[in-house]
Amino acid sequence: MALQCTSLVVIVVALAQAPPEAQPNAADRQEQFRFLTQAAKDLTLLNPSDQQARFTLMDQPVLHYDNATGLSTDGVTFLWLAGTRPVAAVSFSIRRTPRNAVYRECTSLWPAPLDCQSNGASFWSPKRGGLVAQRLKDGPVPADGERQRLTQMRNIARRFTVTWHHSRTDESTQLHLLPTPLYRFAAEQDRILDGALFAFSPTNDPEMLLLLEAARDKPGEAAYWRYSLARMSSLKEVVRLDGQEIWTVPNFHQDITDDKQTGPYAEQAVGRYGPPAIAP
């Protein structure tokens, strides 16, 4: 017993003396942000049925995150738009493990096929979106005012819960809803009175996206609320609405279907980040 206690003391002391993970300074963060942003801007998203039609990548990310405890030390999330409507999202992140590995995640919010290219070569060609444009049951009538509709969307978003599942043990972790929407828009030409994109995360790295829209089926008809879901994690995730399971996505890397090539989500390692050398 004494030997065990002594070993434990040695381990505790060693951990206490281990140097903390170096935190990037402001200049490092700025360079990492520039690198990640340029990686997103080097991609092109196309409509396969009309290769001349390109969706627009937003000039700035909707989220720049830095996990204190998560897998990524730094990351950005951008949206591609059709007019003002979100079509797809892409995240680039620098990982802790493997150290400084750069990962790219793409997810579709669009019902139709897409073609995403890097340097003219296709690497992601989803045939569909995730869970797209589902009418919300028991939803309130969309309010007349923008501020009131935002309150409604926040209340609706709280009706959803998302759990994340460990790749080996299947142990679940409940993600929390980020209170501020990542993006808000209207698209009257598409009969969308109002819309907002929310994210669920264990920290501030988005792992599930929820798109809420006040929409009309036909001009002049009453508006109603609908929702779409898009995964931003390779782990198994389960989504519940009012406590009832409505959508489950399997672990991306353990999935044996063709979803890795044609599904609505893809994750890939795309290199390693190396800070620029400082001139003598």
Side-chain angles (χ1 to χ4, degrees), residues 195-266:
L197 185 68
F198 292 86
F200 292 84
S201 171
T203 53
N204 59 359
D205 178 354
E207 306 294 355
M208 177 67 71
L209 300 179
L210 168 65
L211 177 65
L212 296 177
E213 296 172 316
R216 297 183 177 92
D217 290 332
K218 295 180 181 179
E221 287 189 350
Y224 62 90
W225 291 107
R226 68 187 185 192
Y227 65 90
S228 299
L229 291 163
R231 69 187 298 180
M232 281 299 280
S233 171
S234 61
L235 295 179
K236 172 186 171 182
E237 293 182 285
V238 179
V239 184
R240 293 176 174 84
L241 172 59
D242 297 329
Q244 299 296 314
E245 184 176 324
I246 58 170
W247 197 45
T248 298
V249 291
N251 186 295
F252 175 76
H253 297 292
Q254 296 172 358
D255 191 0
I256 60 174
T257 70
D258 65 352
D259 265 11
K260 290 184 179 180
Q261 286 74 40
T262 61
Y265 168 83

Side-chain angles (χ1 to χ4, degrees), residues 21-101:
E21 181 179 353
Q23 298 299 315
N25 58 33
D28 293 336
R29 289 297 312 282
Q30 184 175 12
E31 177 56 33
Q32 288 174 185
F33 178 78
R34 185 206 65 77
F35 169 83
L36 295 167
T37 296
Q38 188 58 52
K41 292 185 175 182
D42 286 342
L43 305 181
T44 302
L45 188 67
L46 303 171
N47 177 351
S49 62
D50 182 3
Q51 289 288 310
Q52 301 305 311
R54 298 187 176 191
F55 297 104
T56 303
L57 187 77
M58 296 181 69
D59 288 337
Q60 295 296 321
V62 292
L63 190 62
H64 179 202
Y65 53 90
D66 55 337
N67 285 327
T69 59
L71 186 62
S72 302
T73 60
D74 203 354
V76 295
T77 299
F78 279 84
L79 296 179
W80 278 288
L81 306 177
T84 56
R85 295 178 64 191
V87 174
V90 59
S91 286
F92 277 90
S93 60
I94 300 171
R95 301 284 177 93
R96 285 186 168 87
T97 305
R99 184 171 178 80
N100 287 338

Side-chain angles (χ1 to χ4, degrees), residues 114-128:
L114 300 171
D115 180 30
C116 199
Q117 299 182 359
S118 175
N119 296 319
S122 298
F123 67 88
W124 178 55
S125 300
K127 293 181 179 179
R128 65 191 190 285

